PDB file of all heavy atoms in Angstrom:
ATOM      1  N   LYS X  44     -64.366 -10.818 -33.473  1.00 90.00           N
ATOM      2  CA  LYS X  44     -63.823  -9.499 -33.144  1.00 90.00           C
ATOM      3  C   LYS X  44     -64.932  -8.498 -32.842  1.00 90.00           C
ATOM      4  O   LYS X  44     -64.811  -7.685 -31.933  1.00 90.00           O
ATOM      5  CB  LYS X  44     -62.941  -8.986 -34.279  1.00 90.00           C
ATOM      6  CG  LYS X  44     -61.640  -9.750 -34.399  1.00 90.00           C
ATOM      7  CD  LYS X  44     -60.839  -9.289 -35.596  1.00 90.00           C
ATOM      8  CE  LYS X  44     -59.622 -10.163 -35.797  1.00 90.00           C
ATOM      9  NZ  LYS X  44     -58.878  -9.800 -37.006  1.00 90.00           N
ATOM     10  N   GLU X  45     -66.023  -8.554 -33.614  1.00 92.00           N
ATOM     11  CA  GLU X  45     -67.160  -7.657 -33.363  1.00 92.00           C
ATOM     12  C   GLU X  45     -67.732  -7.885 -31.968  1.00 92.00           C
ATOM     13  O   GLU X  45     -67.980  -6.930 -31.224  1.00 92.00           O
ATOM     14  CB  GLU X  45     -68.264  -7.891 -34.395  1.00 92.00           C
ATOM     15  CG  GLU X  45     -67.962  -7.414 -35.780  1.00 92.00           C
ATOM     16  CD  GLU X  45     -69.017  -7.869 -36.792  1.00 92.00           C
ATOM     17  OE1 GLU X  45     -70.151  -8.220 -36.381  1.00 92.00           O
ATOM     18  OE2 GLU X  45     -68.713  -7.886 -37.991  1.00 92.00           O
ATOM     19  N   LEU X  46     -67.956  -9.143 -31.622  1.00 92.00           N
ATOM     20  CA  LEU X  46     -68.522  -9.465 -30.318  1.00 92.00           C
ATOM     21  C   LEU X  46     -67.563  -9.099 -29.193  1.00 92.00           C
ATOM     22  O   LEU X  46     -67.986  -8.575 -28.150  1.00 92.00           O
ATOM     23  CB  LEU X  46     -68.888 -10.949 -30.244  1.00 92.00           C
ATOM     24  CG  LEU X  46     -70.080 -11.360 -31.113  1.00 92.00           C
ATOM     25  CD1 LEU X  46     -70.192 -12.880 -31.185  1.00 92.00           C
ATOM     26  CD2 LEU X  46     -71.375 -10.749 -30.584  1.00 92.00           C
ATOM     27  N   ALA X  47     -66.270  -9.350 -29.387  1.00 89.00           N
ATOM     28  CA  ALA X  47     -65.280  -8.984 -28.370  1.00 89.00           C
ATOM     29  C   ALA X  47     -65.259  -7.472 -28.159  1.00 89.00           C
ATOM     30  O   ALA X  47     -65.202  -6.991 -27.025  1.00 89.00           O
ATOM     31  CB  ALA X  47     -63.895  -9.496 -28.763  1.00 89.00           C
ATOM     32  N   THR X  48     -65.319  -6.724 -29.248  1.00 89.00           N
ATOM     33  CA  THR X  48     -65.330  -5.267 -29.159  1.00 89.00           C
ATOM     34  C   THR X  48     -66.555  -4.772 -28.402  1.00 89.00           C
ATOM     35  O   THR X  48     -66.465  -3.886 -27.556  1.00 89.00           O
ATOM     36  CB  THR X  48     -65.310  -4.643 -30.568  1.00 89.00           C
ATOM     37  OG1 THR X  48     -64.099  -5.044 -31.222  1.00 89.00           O
ATOM     38  CG2 THR X  48     -65.386  -3.128 -30.523  1.00 89.00           C
ATOM     39  N   GLN X  49     -67.679  -5.369 -28.691  1.00 89.00           N
ATOM     40  CA  GLN X  49     -68.942  -4.901 -28.123  1.00 89.00           C
ATOM     41  C   GLN X  49     -69.187  -5.402 -26.699  1.00 89.00           C
ATOM     42  O   GLN X  49     -69.724  -4.658 -25.878  1.00 89.00           O
ATOM     43  CB  GLN X  49     -70.089  -5.344 -29.025  1.00 89.00           C
ATOM     44  CG  GLN X  49     -71.390  -4.676 -28.735  1.00 89.00           C
ATOM     45  CD  GLN X  49     -72.413  -4.928 -29.823  1.00 89.00           C
ATOM     46  OE1 GLN X  49     -72.201  -5.703 -30.744  1.00 89.00           O
ATOM     47  NE2 GLN X  49     -73.536  -4.262 -29.717  1.00 89.00           N
ATOM     48  N   TYR X  50     -68.780  -6.625 -26.375  1.00 86.00           N
ATOM     49  CA  TYR X  50     -69.238  -7.227 -25.123  1.00 86.00           C
ATOM     50  C   TYR X  50     -68.155  -7.681 -24.147  1.00 86.00           C
ATOM     51  O   TYR X  50     -68.476  -8.009 -23.008  1.00 86.00           O
ATOM     52  CB  TYR X  50     -70.121  -8.439 -25.430  1.00 86.00           C
ATOM     53  CG  TYR X  50     -71.360  -8.075 -26.195  1.00 86.00           C
ATOM     54  CD1 TYR X  50     -71.530  -8.499 -27.503  1.00 86.00           C
ATOM     55  CD2 TYR X  50     -72.360  -7.291 -25.615  1.00 86.00           C
ATOM     56  CE1 TYR X  50     -72.671  -8.164 -28.211  1.00 86.00           C
ATOM     57  CE2 TYR X  50     -73.496  -6.948 -26.318  1.00 86.00           C
ATOM     58  CZ  TYR X  50     -73.650  -7.393 -27.621  1.00 86.00           C
ATOM     59  OH  TYR X  50     -74.770  -7.059 -28.312  1.00 86.00           O
ATOM     60  N   SER X  51     -66.913  -7.766 -24.547  1.00 85.00           N
ATOM     61  CA  SER X  51     -65.891  -8.297 -23.653  1.00 85.00           C
ATOM     62  C   SER X  51     -65.703  -7.393 -22.435  1.00 85.00           C
ATOM     63  O   SER X  51     -65.710  -6.166 -22.559  1.00 85.00           O
ATOM     64  CB  SER X  51     -64.557  -8.454 -24.381  1.00 85.00           C
ATOM     65  OG  SER X  51     -63.606  -9.038 -23.514  1.00 85.00           O
TER      66      SER X  51
END
Side-chain angles (χ1 to χ4, degrees):
K44 289 176 187 176
E45 289 171 20
L46 290 169
T48 298
Q49 193 168 7
Y50 298 113
S51 183

